[in-house]
Amino acid sequence: MKKSSIFGLVVIAIAIAVIVVVYAGASTYGSFKDAKQTESMLRVVGQLDKQKELYYDAAKDANYFSFYVKDKKGEECKVVFRGTEPQDFQKSEQIVLTGQMVGDEFHASEILMKCPSKYTKDKIDVTDAKAKSATI
């Protein structure tokens, strides 16, 4: 084989490896029911249940925040976030959680909030919060 053919095969192999790694690391969307059936990371879209308690006590543990979310299929679940309560969290219209189930709780590593904009009525303000790295 020519050196150029070998080089071309190596470049193709590297491109395939990169695609496989990116695809394997991507989380998919689902519900809390789906999260209970898998051990991989999953994104759940839902709304904050404002009737239930939000727990955040900075004096006890500044990196523990829990709340309840109802997913698009109507199932409610307790969510634990290892970080501080995001600003304007209670004003959010929709929440996208990235994480996985641990027992009966969904442990979120990232929270993406879609809040009503402060300045215009028809635009949505998007806020992103990431958890502190911790073992789940």
Side-chain angles (χ1 to χ4, degrees), residues 1-16:
M1 285 183 116
K2 294 182 180 180
K3 289 184 180 182
S4 61
S5 298
I6 293 172
F7 179 74
L9 288 173
V10 169
V11 169
I12 291 171
I14 291 172
I16 290 171

Side-chain angles (χ1 to χ4, degrees), residues 9-72:
L9 288 173
V10 169
V11 169
I12 291 171
I14 291 172
I16 290 171
V18 167
I19 290 170
V20 167
V21 167
V22 168
Y23 178 73
S27 59
T28 58
Y29 284 88
S31 64
F32 288 126
K33 183 179 179 181
D34 298 332
K36 289 177 184 175
Q37 297 171 353
T38 184
E39 293 182 11
S40 61
M41 296 292 274
L42 190 70
R43 289 187 178 163
V44 177
V45 179
Q47 291 184 330
L48 176 66
D49 186 348
K50 296 179 181 178
Q51 304 298 322
K52 295 221 176 169
E53 177 186 16
L54 283 85
Y55 178 80
Y56 178 69
D57 187 357
K60 266 188 169 177
D61 187 356
N63 292 320
Y64 182 87
F65 175 49
S66 68
F67 51 95
Y68 289 85
V69 169
K70 189 176 286 191
D71 66 15
K72 288 196 168 196

Side-chain angles (χ1 to χ4, degrees), residues 28-132:
T28 58
Y29 284 88
S31 64
F32 288 126
K33 183 179 179 181
D34 298 332
K36 289 177 184 175
Q37 297 171 353
T38 184
E39 293 182 11
S40 61
M41 296 292 274
L42 190 70
R43 289 187 178 163
V44 177
V45 179
Q47 291 184 330
L48 176 66
D49 186 348
K50 296 179 181 178
Q51 304 298 322
K52 295 221 176 169
E53 177 186 16
L54 283 85
Y55 178 80
Y56 178 69
D57 187 357
K60 266 188 169 177
D61 187 356
N63 292 320
Y64 182 87
F65 175 49
S66 68
F67 51 95
Y68 289 85
V69 169
K70 189 176 286 191
D71 66 15
K72 288 196 168 196
K73 293 185 177 180
E75 187 173 346
E76 187 175 76
C77 186
K78 181 179 181 181
V79 178
V80 175
F81 179 65
R82 293 285 175 187
T84 60
E85 179 180 352
Q87 183 178 4
D88 294 333
F89 183 75
Q90 295 182 29
K91 295 179 183 178
S92 64
E93 290 181 351
Q94 186 178 13
I95 300 172
V96 179
L97 305 165
T98 303
Q100 61 190 20
M101 292 298 287
V102 177
D104 289 336
E105 299 175 338
F106 187 83
H107 285 233
S109 59
E110 185 177 359
I111 299 174
L112 180 66
M113 300 177 307
K114 295 179 182 174
C115 302
S117 177
K118 298 175 189 173
Y119 306 107
T120 59
K121 292 181 182 177
D122 54 348
K123 290 192 177 182
I124 294 177
D125 189 24
V126 177
T127 307
D128 190 13
K130 295 192 183 212
K132 303 269 184 193

